[in-house]
Amino acid sequence: MLGVAIVDAATGPEYNLLPVYAAGPAIAAARGSVRNVLAMGGVAVVLCLLFAAKAERFGELRMYVALVAIAYVTLAAVYAAWTRLRTERRLVDVEEVAKTLEDVLFAPLPPAIGPVRLGASYVSASRATRVGGDLYEAVPSPRGVRLVVADVQGKGLGTIRCAAVVLAAFREAGHDLDDLAEVDGRIETALERRTDGLRFVTGIVAEVSPAGRLVMFNHGHPAPLLLTAEGRVAFVEPEQPAPPFGLTGLVNPGDRLDGITRLTLGPGDRLLFYTDGLSEARDGAGGSTRWTSGRDP
């Protein structure tokens, strides 16, 4: 409005920009509160009256038309500002819910469980989304450390619901059951009972004993990387990968594959578990950085 006033003063009464002062409250609605919009409407009215008097048009029809325009735009701007503020408050509430959901689903892992040191990172592909269908967890058990890394097929709220089912089943069974295969089966059962059956989950359920013995079930998930203390890097792949969780019912019972891998880890060996968000990442030039089992990682 100050810019309009300067132009209005410089151009003289023949141009007379009185209706343009309505831009003030209209622009204020984009960022200001309802009170700010009303204040800008008042300033616009004062400027309109002052410059109408300066141009010797006070009381003319053009002045009243400009005042009506300012009043109408101010009222519309008040409604727009009120709607925007209400939407912003809802977005803040949604963000708080998302943050709480993230804290529940992905509680920070301890730095170590027994002789196994742990580290985890979760980065969403979308800046507007804090959680998604990828999941991880590690818990102590009677036989050592047990962990799960998985990726739910698809996008949207359904993937989060499915991820919550997998995490709940693993957290409940991973602590108490003696056999890792029972934990693996508990996840499959939970998906059958508590989801719509329209999604599958690729995942790895693993167990590391205090002596370093690794047992791992791979259900169609990208193979983890093993970095030995000597510096050798290799993919840890099962001889017969099992189908993803949620799809085992499509395989004949006699043909089912367990996707099991067994090996012994030594002191200083490292395992990297990941989802396809990492294996299918691209570099700054748009080139694929996908890892392939037959190539050096």
Side-chain angles (χ1 to χ4, degrees):
M1 285 192 294
L2 177 60
V4 174
I6 292 174
V7 174
D8 201 0
T11 55
E14 60 272 15
Y15 292 99
N16 202 243
L17 304 178
L18 299 183
V20 185
Y21 290 109
I27 296 175
R31 297 189 60 181
S33 64
V34 171
R35 182 178 300 178
N36 287 7
V37 173
L38 290 172
M40 291 303 100
V43 172
V45 169
V46 171
L47 290 174
C48 180
L49 293 174
L50 288 176
F51 278 89
K54 179 179 178 297
E56 298 181 351
R57 293 187 177 180
F58 194 87
E60 293 184 2
L61 178 61
R62 182 162 185 169
M63 184 194 76
Y64 291 115
V65 171
L67 291 175
V68 170
I70 292 172
Y72 177 81
V73 171
T74 300
L75 291 176
V78 165
Y79 175 76
W82 176 77
T83 304
R84 174 183 56 80
L85 291 172
R86 185 177 61 175
T87 302
E88 288 177 354
R89 285 191 291 268
R90 288 180 179 176
L91 290 176
V92 170
D93 293 340
V94 170
E95 185 176 358
E96 289 297 324
V97 171
K99 186 178 185 305
T100 302
L101 178 62
E102 181 186 33
D103 294 339
V104 171
L105 291 180
F106 303 107
L109 294 182
I113 299 178
V116 179
R117 290 185 295 172
L118 302 169
S121 175
Y122 190 103
V123 180
S124 175
S126 172
R127 294 182 180 180
T129 307
R130 299 176 62 91
V131 294
D134 295 353
L135 61 100
Y136 63 85
E137 181 62 290
V139 297
S141 75
R143 294 193 176 184
V145 180
R146 286 174 175 169
L147 59 91
V148 62
V149 177
D151 181 9
V152 181
Q153 170 262 332
K155 300 182 182 297
L157 293 178
T159 62
I160 300 176
R161 187 183 304 111
C162 198
V165 170
V166 173
L167 282 172
F170 175 79
R171 287 167 176 168
E172 179 182 359
H175 281 287
D176 302 324
L177 298 182
D178 289 333
D179 192 350
L180 185 64
E182 295 182 42
V183 179
D184 191 79
R186 187 72 63 86
I187 295 174
E188 181 70 34
T189 301
L191 284 173
E192 292 177 358
R193 291 178 177 176
R194 302 182 59 186
T195 63
D196 54 15
L198 300 178
R199 298 180 186 273
F200 62 85
V201 181
T202 66
I204 293 176
V205 180
E207 175 184 278
V208 182
S209 72
R213 289 187 292 274
L214 171 70
V215 180
M216 184 171 65
F217 292 93
N218 190 325
H219 291 265
H221 199 74
L225 283 170
L226 171 63
L227 172 63
T228 67
E230 294 78 21
R232 295 191 301 272
V233 182
F235 287 94
V236 181
E237 296 182 299
E239 293 184 2
Q240 298 175 326
F245 292 111
L247 296 182
T248 56
L250 302 179
V251 182
N252 294 327
D255 298 332
R256 288 188 178 179
L257 307 174
D258 54 16
I260 192 170
T261 301
R262 291 184 174 89
L263 58 88
T264 300
L265 301 174
D269 290 353
R270 298 182 181 183
L271 270 175
L272 172 65
F273 297 89
Y274 55 93
T275 63
D276 58 8
L278 180 61
S279 60
E280 296 181 359
R282 295 184 176 272
D283 57 25
S288 175
T289 59
R290 182 179 301 173
W291 299 334
T292 305
S293 301
R295 301 165 58 188
D296 291 335

